[in-house]
Amino acid sequence: MTETKARPTGVPQPTAPPLIAGNRVSAPAGHCTPAGDRHGASVIGGHDAMGTDEHEAPVILEQARGRVDPELRAALESLPGAMRRIGLYHFGWQHADGTPAAGNAGKAIRPALVLTAATALGGPTAGERAVRAAAAVELVHNFTLLHDDVMDRDASRRHRPTAWTVFGVPDAILAGDALQALALRLLAEDPHPASGAAATRLVDCVIELCEGQQADTALEKRDPAEVTLDEVLTMAEAKTGALIGCACAVGALYAGAGEDEVAALDAFGRQAGLAFQLIDDVIGIWGDPSRTGKPAGADLAARKKSLPVVAALTSGTPAAAELAELYARAYDEKDLERTALAVERAGGRDWAQTQAADRMGRAMQELARAVPDPESAGGLLTLAEFVTRRSS
Amino acid sequence: MTETKARPTGVPQPTAPPLIAGNRVSAPAGHCTPAGDRHGASVIGGHDAMGTDEHEAPVILEQARGRVDPELRAALESLPGAMRRIGLYHFGWQHADGTPAAGNAGKAIRPALVLTAATALGGPTAGERAVRAAAAVELVHNFTLLHDDVMDRDASRRHRPTAWTVFGVPDAILAGDALQALALRLLAEDPHPASGAAATRLVDCVIELCEGQQADTALEKRDPAEVTLDEVLTMAEAKTGALIGCACAVGALYAGAGEDEVAALDAFGRQAGLAFQLIDDVIGIWGDPSRTGKPAGADLAARKKSLPVVAALTSGTPAAAELAELYARAYDEKDLERTALAVERAGGRDWAQTQAADRMGRAMQELARAVPDPESAGGLLTLAEFVTRRSS
């Protein structure tokens, strides 16, 4: 359910396998970026008068932000006083004192996926008509962030104090509740024929996100020896994959796609989301602190049962026993290097990188199934690779 | 947003004015309970094979509970593991360890209002078809209770430990989030033509509930001298009236009622809800502890800016100044009687009782506007009086 806290931009994973260090090496050959003949026609629908390269992820994201922000902002402005103030603060459009701010609402990956999926399957008009649904998905994402920050007592997000630190825990909980309701209101008021089906998918997704977040906190309290790899994979899919899959599926619904295409795009998003989580967990152990903005081995210090750690613990190797013994002790900085090495020697790092590549491979298969035309699939491919490269 | 904590059953307001002590004295004459010729035809739709008096509130509530519980329970059972466990616990269908329990989910007033409103305007079939919507309204009510208990740190509800005390704050927040989503899923999946309009009303209501709960906590932190009567009335309407109004409006929508009737039934519920809150606040000061289950003057001890207190504080009387002075001090039990007397002498008690009668009068007018036939309106009238009599 959480979004990894923002790291400084331009952070390639330092020891990335080819999948994530290179450019599209895992993609089917036919899915290479189409050339300039589509310049000027945005992959999220509509036309890009600027003539920029619409297949670069930052361009897609910026276009999506430009489309969705007015809808999002109008929705937030429609809220009553206190809910409006907290919502606008959370999205970065207001300072804590209610004065206007520049806005800093994250990378807009999920709304970009809605618009790009709709465009890929239904053309530019479908993308244009999915703006409200894209805003709804972004509202759901942000409702979960507001609540996650309360639950995790996280004090900063997007380089600003979190809402609960500014307005108090009760108000942050209430604002999260209101944003969930607002997301559903956008869909309830949307005359698009797919809005009902999108609402059903979105609320199912919220339930899965809640279960995933609950599983995460429950797992962290359990004896590491009793946690299975299947459990953490299921949790990661619910917490991270579900909403990315839902965004793609909602886009497909808004393109009038059939059940199979919708399911395939959901699976594409889920697999890409899992690949992202695997790579994020690798960075959480071996990432360069000067690039990640987090202390070295932060996840190990917190005794987090991240995917590489559970893979290592359940490997049945001598290094697994050593790791279990280290995890049973209170954290001591002098053990950090040895702990990371134990995860590596038990195969946790290799497993995570292989799994990430495997998940991206499956994502590509699902994408090809939903959008056989490589040119139409280009935007979704770019976004999936952007997410898993963690380049911003 | 809160439901007043359950008090022991059979608690008439000890110093109640005729409005609430007597039976239907404030109702227009034509609205008296119709006699036995309607025995056997339930006011919430369908037929009552038992031949009991269907115009007694307990009978209406029990029938509603019987209709809605299977729908509610099936919805909760459809949740994934942890969300299901917490949801079933909160509704009283499971003990904390997951073993079955008898169920103790409150009085079902809101679902009863949905079914009764649908039946009043559309006949028994409309009532039968509104069961899913009634369950959705009850889920919304319970999602707010889960979150309110977290925010208020209330340790018991319906004579059981609250969910957050059993499962922890994060899990209770997540279960609340999941119940909101589940409510909207019930409506999204309901093929009834009114389900979309009902969803829009319900999410708007959630936003109002959130704002009302926020206003309540914000008001409690402010200097009593700066709080106006309009503010507390608006807050009480949002916190208590909105969902009762929404329940009635949703019932009207499910009966295929026109915009005017829907608006009138919403106003009926809001006014009845406000009357309930006014009387609840009177009980909070002058209620008999042996009957209310709360210590005498609990609201005064907590320096609560309840409706009679703010009416007293803003009365411009000498007693108002005395009350302000008492409220500015730390609570001392020996001052309790004097404080209650100051509220009374400043006119707070009379004002609240007059307001309650006035609100019930307005509620009756709105009811007559929406449902001119007194016989059809009987069930809604019974429920409104039941709620404001606080007889259970």
Side-chain angles (χ1 to χ4, degrees):
Chain A
M1 199 154 162
T2 50
E3 173 181 74
T4 300
K5 301 302 173 295
R7 295 198 172 91
T9 53
V11 184
Q13 202 267 0
T15 55
L19 160 73
I20 48 183
N23 191 25
R24 299 198 176 87
V25 296
S26 67
H31 270 153
C32 285
T33 311
D37 60 349
R38 290 182 76 245
H39 259 246
S42 166
V43 296
I44 63 165
H47 290 273
D48 172 19
M50 306 296 289
T52 47
D53 182 351
E54 74 283 359
H55 289 91
E56 288 297 321
V59 177
I60 299 176
L61 292 171
E62 205 186 321
Q63 286 178 344
R65 179 60 69 211
R67 296 271 178 82
V68 173
D69 272 359
E71 186 78 35
L72 258 180
R73 188 151 185 175
L76 291 169
E77 299 275 3
S78 78
L79 291 172
M83 298 299 105
R84 181 172 64 238
R85 199 162 55 248
I86 304 166
L88 288 170
Y89 173 83
H90 171 78
F91 276 93
W93 279 312
Q94 278 189 4
H95 297 295
D97 63 1
T99 55
N104 174 19
K107 291 183 293 292
I109 285 169
R110 290 160 193 81
L113 284 169
V114 175
L115 301 182
T116 309
T119 308
L121 281 164
T125 313
E128 281 163 29
R129 293 178 67 205
V131 171
R132 200 173 286 183
V137 168
E138 186 70 348
L139 283 169
V140 161
H141 177 54
N142 281 277
F143 124 64
T144 68
L145 297 182
L146 277 163
H147 283 188
D148 284 355
D149 287 341
V150 166
M151 291 184 257
D152 302 338
R153 288 288 189 271
D154 277 326
S156 101
R157 170 166 307 278
R158 298 168 188 155
H159 312 291
R160 299 165 75 231
T162 45
W164 71 268
T165 67
V166 174
F167 301 98
V169 165
D171 285 12
I173 294 176
L174 291 165
D177 292 343
L179 293 198
Q180 184 185 170
L182 191 59
L184 273 299
R185 181 162 85 182
L186 287 189
L187 291 179
E189 286 174 350
D190 191 350
H192 194 291
S195 63
T200 304
R201 273 202 110 87
L202 199 57
V203 292
D204 280 344
C205 180
V206 167
I207 291 167
E208 191 176 353
L209 289 168
C210 291
E211 185 75 8
Q213 172 73 3
Q214 197 283 333
D216 193 20
T217 52
L219 279 170
E220 289 304 329
K221 284 184 210 143
R222 278 168 52 196
D223 181 350
E226 287 170 7
V227 173
T228 70
L229 205 43
D230 263 3
E231 281 181 308
V232 281
L233 279 168
T234 302
M235 180 274 287
E237 183 174 336
K239 220 183 116 160
T240 311
L243 189 53
I244 294 178
C246 181
C248 299
V250 165
L253 285 169
Y254 269 67
E259 222 171 280
D260 284 354
E261 290 162 308
V262 174
L265 271 200
D266 190 308
F268 157 75
R270 282 175 180 267
Q271 295 299 332
L274 257 180
F276 158 76
Q277 191 57 60
L278 285 153
I279 292 160
D280 197 52
D281 282 359
V282 168
I283 294 174
I285 300 174
W286 295 280
D288 179 350
S290 71
R291 294 180 165 200
T292 63
K294 275 167 61 163
D299 284 0
L300 296 180
R303 300 304 191 216
K304 217 170 142 16
K305 296 182 195 80
S306 65
L307 290 157
V309 167
V310 176
L313 285 169
T314 55
S315 63
T317 59
E322 188 191 349
L323 178 61
E325 194 257 321
L326 284 161
Y327 250 50
R329 291 189 211 164
Y331 174 68
D332 184 335
E333 205 180 328
K334 75 175 165 48
D335 289 335
L336 181 58
E337 208 169 321
R338 207 181 129 207
T339 313
L341 199 64
V343 180
E344 186 150 7
R345 283 174 35 231
R349 185 177 189 162
D350 283 350
W351 173 85
Q353 290 178 337
T354 307
Q355 272 282 319
D358 179 47
R359 300 292 178 167
M360 272 302 273
R362 290 197 224 174
M364 294 307 120
Q365 284 172 4
E366 298 287 356
L367 179 57
R369 193 153 75 86
V371 193
D373 170 35
E375 188 169 330
S376 303
L380 286 171
L381 178 64
T382 302
L383 287 175
E385 290 178 334
F386 173 79
V387 167
T388 51
R389 268 207 316 273
R390 296 291 315 280
S391 63
S392 79
Chain B
M1 199 154 163
T2 49
E3 173 181 74
T4 301
K5 301 301 172 296
R7 296 199 172 90
T9 54
V11 185
Q13 204 268 0
T15 55
L19 158 72
I20 47 182
N23 190 25
R24 299 199 177 85
V25 297
S26 68
H31 270 155
C32 284
T33 310
D37 61 348
R38 289 184 76 246
H39 260 246
S42 167
V43 296
I44 62 165
H47 291 272
D48 173 19
M50 306 295 291
T52 48
D53 183 349
E54 75 284 358
H55 289 91
E56 288 298 322
V59 176
I60 299 176
L61 293 172
E62 204 185 321
Q63 286 178 345
R65 179 59 70 210
R67 296 272 177 84
V68 173
D69 272 0
E71 186 77 33
L72 256 181
R73 191 153 181 173
L76 291 169
E77 299 273 4
S78 77
L79 291 172
M83 298 300 105
R84 179 172 65 235
R85 199 161 54 247
I86 304 166
L88 288 171
Y89 173 83
H90 171 79
F91 276 92
W93 280 312
Q94 278 190 3
H95 296 296
D97 63 2
T99 54
N104 174 18
K107 291 183 293 292
I109 286 168
R110 292 161 192 81
L113 285 168
V114 175
L115 301 182
T116 309
T119 307
L121 281 164
T125 312
E128 281 163 29
R129 293 178 69 205
V131 171
R132 200 174 286 183
V137 168
E138 186 70 347
L139 283 169
V140 161
H141 177 52
N142 281 278
F143 124 64
T144 68
L145 297 182
L146 275 164
H147 283 188
D148 284 355
D149 287 340
V150 166
M151 291 183 258
D152 302 339
R153 289 287 190 271
D154 276 326
S156 100
R157 170 167 305 279
R158 298 168 188 153
H159 311 293
R160 298 165 76 230
T162 45
W164 71 268
T165 67
V166 174
F167 301 98
V169 164
D171 285 12
I173 295 176
L174 291 166
D177 293 343
L179 293 198
Q180 183 184 172
L182 191 59
L184 273 299
R185 183 162 84 182
L186 287 189
L187 291 178
E189 286 173 350
D190 191 349
H192 195 290
S195 62
T200 304
R201 271 201 112 87
L202 198 57
V203 292
D204 281 345
C205 179
V206 167
I207 291 168
E208 191 176 353
L209 289 168
C210 292
E211 185 75 8
Q213 172 74 4
Q214 198 283 333
D216 192 20
T217 53
L219 279 169
E220 289 304 330
K221 286 185 209 141
R222 279 168 51 195
D223 181 349
E226 287 170 5
V227 173
T228 70
L229 206 43
D230 264 2
E231 281 180 307
V232 280
L233 280 168
T234 302
M235 180 274 287
E237 182 174 337
K239 221 182 115 158
T240 310
L243 189 54
I244 294 176
C246 181
C248 299
V250 165
L253 286 169
Y254 268 67
E259 220 170 281
D260 284 353
E261 290 163 309
V262 174
L265 272 199
D266 189 310
F268 158 75
R270 281 175 181 269
Q271 296 298 332
L274 257 179
F276 158 76
Q277 190 59 58
L278 285 153
I279 292 159
D280 197 53
D281 282 359
V282 168
I283 295 174
I285 299 175
W286 295 281
D288 179 350
S290 71
R291 294 180 166 202
T292 64
K294 277 168 57 163
D299 284 0
L300 296 180
R303 300 304 192 216
K304 218 169 141 17
K305 299 183 193 82
S306 65
L307 289 157
V309 167
V310 176
L313 285 169
T314 55
S315 64
T317 60
E322 187 192 351
L323 177 62
E325 193 257 321
L326 284 161
Y327 251 50
R329 291 188 211 164
Y331 174 67
D332 184 334
E333 205 180 329
K334 73 175 168 49
D335 290 335
L336 181 57
E337 209 169 319
R338 206 180 131 206
T339 312
L341 200 63
V343 179
E344 186 149 8
R345 283 174 37 230
R349 185 177 188 163
D350 283 349
W351 173 85
Q353 290 178 339
T354 308
Q355 272 284 319
D358 180 47
R359 300 293 176 166
M360 272 302 273
R362 290 198 224 174
M364 294 307 119
Q365 283 174 4
E366 298 289 353
L367 179 57
R369 193 153 74 85
V371 192
D373 170 35
E375 190 170 328
S376 302
L380 286 170
L381 177 64
T382 302
L383 286 175
E385 289 178 337
F386 173 79
V387 167
T388 51
R389 267 206 320 272
R390 296 294 313 279
S391 61
S392 80

